[in-house]
Amino acid sequence: MSDNQGIRLLGISGSPRKKATDYIVNEALQYARDKFGAETEYFSSSGKDMKFCIHCDYCVRTKKGCIHKDDLVELYEKMIWADAWIIGTPVYQGTLSAQTKTILDRCRAVVARDPKAFLNKVGAAAAVGGDRVGGQEPAIQDIHAFYVINEMIPVGGGSFGSNFGGTFWSKDKGAEGVAEDSEGIRSLHRTVNKMMKTAMAMKTLK
């Protein structure tokens, strides 16, 4: 086991179901625990009450968080706690799920209260599609754009097999399908390796 330097990792599943995306995010967390000794937390959007951002500016005016008091309050606390995040999304219409987008949009309330709340946290992403090339990388790039805007450090798994992050083909077979996707698992592990090593490096700079 490598020295984890106290790395705290948050996994977020932006799927309304507990199937393929749930599987890959938990696979990432298990891999990080086994290889790096990471301390982990998990949030699934499945079954959660999550209201859309309505751009009311309550968070900007009051600096007291979001006007919506729903299940995302729990996630905000985990986001602040973590040194690194990995967000998983299913691919809907070539991009993010509505649940994933809602999570990202609602983070405005956190940074309105503290603009540096996510500064230098490390962010990675993974996406699951029903086709091998079905929008996984555009979905991951949307998550990376969120990381950049919020002053986080986005990472992928590197050239030759991972590029932007973990990309999976479920063949519409849910968790069973992604578990059988050896290339997807390899891309995810490469991404987690880069994420954890980057988080460790950032920790030494603090």
Side-chain angles (χ1 to χ4, degrees), residues 7-59:
I7 299 301
R8 298 178 295 194
L9 174 60
L10 171 63
I12 300 171
S13 171
S15 174
R17 306 186 298 169
K18 287 191 174 179
K19 292 191 175 182
T21 306
D22 173 80
Y23 181 93
I24 66 170
V25 174
N26 278 292
E27 169 65 24
L29 296 179
Q30 186 65 55
Y31 181 78
R33 287 193 296 268
D34 291 346
K35 184 169 182 178
F36 297 95
E39 183 180 355
T40 63
E41 287 283 349
Y42 175 66
F43 180 90
S44 169
S45 61
S46 178
K48 295 295 197 302
D49 175 24
M50 301 191 307
K51 298 177 178 65
F52 298 123
C53 175
I54 56 174
H55 209 288
C56 64
D57 279 344
Y58 171 88
C59 61

Side-chain angles (χ1 to χ4, degrees), residues 4-203:
N4 75 336
Q5 298 179 313
I7 299 301
R8 298 178 295 194
L9 174 60
L10 171 63
I12 300 171
S13 171
S15 174
R17 306 186 298 169
K18 287 191 174 179
K19 292 191 175 182
T21 306
D22 173 80
Y23 181 93
I24 66 170
V25 174
N26 278 292
E27 169 65 24
L29 296 179
Q30 186 65 55
Y31 181 78
R33 287 193 296 268
D34 291 346
K35 184 169 182 178
F36 297 95
E39 183 180 355
T40 63
E41 287 283 349
Y42 175 66
F43 180 90
S44 169
S45 61
S46 178
K48 295 295 197 302
D49 175 24
M50 301 191 307
K51 298 177 178 65
F52 298 123
C53 175
I54 56 174
H55 209 288
C56 64
D57 279 344
Y58 171 88
C59 61
V60 175
R61 293 194 312 272
T62 68
K63 314 297 184 189
K64 294 180 179 179
C66 187
I67 196 168
H68 298 312
K69 306 307 177 189
D70 56 15
D71 292 336
L72 283 183
V73 173
E74 167 198 344
L75 180 56
Y76 292 155
E77 295 171 358
K78 294 179 188 295
M79 288 174 160
I80 293 168
W81 166 86
D83 301 304
W85 310 353
I86 183 161
I87 299 176
T89 184
V91 175
Y92 290 172
Q93 298 297 319
T95 187
L96 304 174
S97 68
Q99 289 77 14
T100 305
K101 187 63 165 65
T102 298
I103 289 168
L104 301 185
D105 289 346
R106 288 278 305 280
C107 285
R108 186 170 188 259
V110 182
V111 295
R113 185 172 54 197
D114 176 6
K116 302 299 183 183
F118 302 149
L119 179 67
N120 292 335
K121 293 181 185 292
V122 179
V128 181
D131 295 316
R132 170 56 74 189
V133 182
Q136 288 91 329
E137 288 197 341
I140 290 171
Q141 287 177 289
D142 284 345
I143 295 170
H144 282 192
F146 165 86
Y147 291 149
V148 170
I149 289 167
N150 289 281
E151 299 188 81
M152 294 176 66
I153 301 170
V155 299
S159 302
F160 306 109
S162 187
N163 298 320
F164 291 108
T167 57
F168 285 84
W169 180 22
S170 71
K171 300 183 181 179
D172 289 328
K173 292 165 58 181
E176 178 186 352
V178 293
E180 293 172 351
D181 183 6
S182 59
E183 284 301 308
I185 295 291
R186 186 170 74 91
S187 71
L188 181 68
H189 289 175
R190 284 170 57 101
T191 299
V192 173
N193 286 338
K194 183 65 178 292
M195 174 184 63
M196 290 298 296
K197 290 174 183 177
T198 304
M200 285 186 238
M202 293 306 301
K203 199 90 168 180

